[in-house]
Amino acid sequence: MNWRYKHTALTLCTLAFTATMVARLVISPLIPEIRTEFGVTNATVGLGLSGMWLAYALAQFPSGVLGDRYGERAVILTAVGATAVASLFIALSPSIVAFVGFVVLLGAGAGLHYTVATTFLSRRFDDIGRAIGVHVAGGPAAGLAAPPLAAFVGSRYGWRAGIALGVAVAVPVFALFAWRVRPTEPRRPDQEVRERFAVGPLVELLSRPAVFYTTALSTMGAFTWQATASFLPSFLEFGTGLSAGLSALLFSLYFLVHGATQPVTGSISDRIGRDATVMATMAAGVVGYGLLAATAVADLGRVVPVVGVAVVGLAMSWGAPLQSRFMDLLSDAERGAGFGLVRTAYMVVGASGSVVVGAVSDATGWAPAFGLLAGVMALGLATLLANRLLGLGY
């Protein structure tokens, strides 16, 4: 493959996504130190993190609108720059109120990146699935490296130094992106931003049968992903009896497989079709979460949870083929704001995965909680099979 400008753009968009993810993921391992310094409960710090992820989800649609109005490059640079600034403010927070406010600001700033970058790449690659898969892999790469590094730095130099890792990553990525990515022409430079928020066209887009169907599948995937990212280490430690160290190692394995398989599933979806690829990931979810739920019921040794975690990592690579499916459904003029709208829709609803699975685990135990995730994947698989077998045409 000859290296061309589009590959440089893909590399830097992926690095930019990694930078925005690093800044968000370094916070969780440092919660005990943050809670101690400010004298607050886990619930208070958790409120800030919930606000961060909600702000991230809500920023998806406006980011697409801004990309159409001002050009993708400007919005991506704003996202990475805002990530660096917000991370610095979090590290310097004088109080818990300031901390929570800056964490929410981080979510909103980082949320400007993904939709715009995906639209930017979809206009430069014919094999959209592969390109999106590579781009999505920037998130799991951050998940693999950022938490343990933040924990190490935090234990040696304090939680503020751990948070500052977000600044250390975002600043050079900002400089590289500004240097190597060319200015992009806005698609709708003369249209007022407020016109894009008219309710009628938004409802019309979301209510299209194929778009609604794909949004529903993505919501199931997002629900499961959010719950997994929140509770997989706790499940492994308290649900299956593994040590904290081994649970952390398997969590890293999850991110490793998740990141490595995203480009693969995206590329496969370019060749054999989006739905067939998504069916494979959903089927993997049924198997993977089923294995994990079984380990919480009976002692199946250490091999079964390892296999379960690896298969779950594959299952969560649904993002590349499903997001490519959205791009197939949206016209070139709709991709910016339209993709942002569906991202906001399925991420906001999918964010409930953490709350629901947490409540189920409290009420009935870890086996039913992760059995629920296997059920969600089974529902997604059944929906895909029904669409194909009944010829619904979605």
Side-chain angles (χ1 to χ4, degrees):
M1 178 184 69
N2 295 324
W3 192 268
R4 290 182 284 176
Y5 169 71
K6 67 178 183 179
H7 300 121
T8 298
L10 174 59
T11 300
L12 291 174
C13 283
T14 303
L15 286 175
F17 185 40
T18 301
T20 63
M21 282 293 288
V22 165
R24 284 172 284 151
L25 293 176
V26 296
I27 300 173
S28 293
L30 303 170
I31 286 177
E33 292 85 355
I34 295 169
R35 182 176 58 81
T36 299
E37 175 160 336
F38 292 128
V40 296
T41 64
N42 283 325
T44 301
V45 180
L47 178 64
L49 293 180
S50 296
M52 177 186 74
W53 287 107
L54 180 60
Y56 180 82
L58 292 175
Q60 302 299 308
F61 174 50
S63 73
V65 174
L66 293 173
D68 288 343
R69 181 70 170 80
Y70 300 106
E72 292 103 341
R73 179 179 181 270
V75 178
I76 294 171
L77 284 173
T78 300
V80 180
T83 296
V85 172
S87 294
L88 178 62
F89 285 169
I90 294 169
L92 298 175
S93 296
S95 67
I96 189 61
V97 173
F99 174 87
V100 170
F102 293 140
V103 165
V104 173
L105 178 64
L106 171 63
L112 295 176
H113 167 82
Y114 189 85
T115 295
V116 175
T118 303
T119 304
F120 173 73
L121 294 171
S122 72
R123 291 174 176 145
R124 284 157 180 80
F125 285 87
D126 294 326
D127 48 344
I128 297 175
R130 183 180 181 184
I132 290 178
V134 172
H135 183 222
V136 173
L144 179 65
L149 184 58
F152 172 75
V153 172
S155 66
R156 293 287 299 271
Y157 306 106
W159 70 268
R160 296 179 188 274
I163 295 292
L165 289 172
V167 184
V169 174
V171 168
V173 170
F174 178 93
L176 276 173
F177 199 96
W179 176 39
R180 298 299 298 171
V181 175
R182 303 164 190 163
T184 53
E185 291 295 325
R187 294 283 164 162
R188 303 187 181 189
D190 300 321
Q191 186 174 18
E192 291 294 331
V193 170
R194 64 176 178 271
E195 294 179 12
R196 306 298 303 280
F197 290 87
V199 175
L202 304 184
V203 172
E204 186 278 326
L205 190 150
L206 285 176
S207 62
R208 295 176 193 171
V211 173
F212 181 83
Y213 168 81
T214 310
T215 302
L217 290 172
S218 299
T219 300
M220 297 178 208
F223 178 97
T224 309
W225 186 94
Q226 192 69 50
T228 305
S230 298
F231 291 112
L232 181 58
S234 297
F235 167 82
L236 292 170
E237 183 175 355
F238 301 108
T240 68
L242 298 178
S243 67
L246 183 56
S247 298
L249 185 64
L250 289 181
F251 194 41
S252 293
L253 173 65
Y254 161 73
F255 277 114
L256 179 64
V257 176
H258 180 26
T261 55
Q262 289 278 12
V264 176
T265 56
S267 183
I268 290 173
S269 76
D270 288 331
R271 300 188 180 195
I272 70 171
R274 314 300 186 199
D275 286 13
T277 309
V278 178
M279 277 193 278
T281 63
M282 297 289 183
V286 175
V287 173
Y289 289 109
L291 287 175
L292 292 179
T295 62
V297 175
D299 183 5
L300 301 178
R302 293 190 174 184
V303 174
V304 174
V306 171
V307 173
V309 168
V311 177
V312 163
L314 169 62
M316 290 300 97
S317 64
W318 57 266
L322 271 181
Q323 290 172 21
S324 301
R325 197 181 201 278
F326 279 121
M327 292 300 178
D328 297 339
L329 295 172
L330 299 172
S331 68
D332 186 65
E334 292 175 325
R335 283 181 174 178
F339 184 54
L341 177 63
V342 296
R343 284 264 298 170
T344 289
Y346 76 71
M347 288 181 71
V348 168
V349 180
S352 64
S354 296
V355 177
V356 173
V357 169
V360 172
S361 67
D362 287 338
T364 61
W366 285 109
F370 270 60
L372 171 64
L373 297 181
V376 172
M377 292 287 95
L379 177 61
L381 179 60
T383 303
L384 285 156
L385 287 171
N387 182 43
R388 172 163 291 196
L389 296 177
L390 298 178
L392 300 178
Y394 296 154

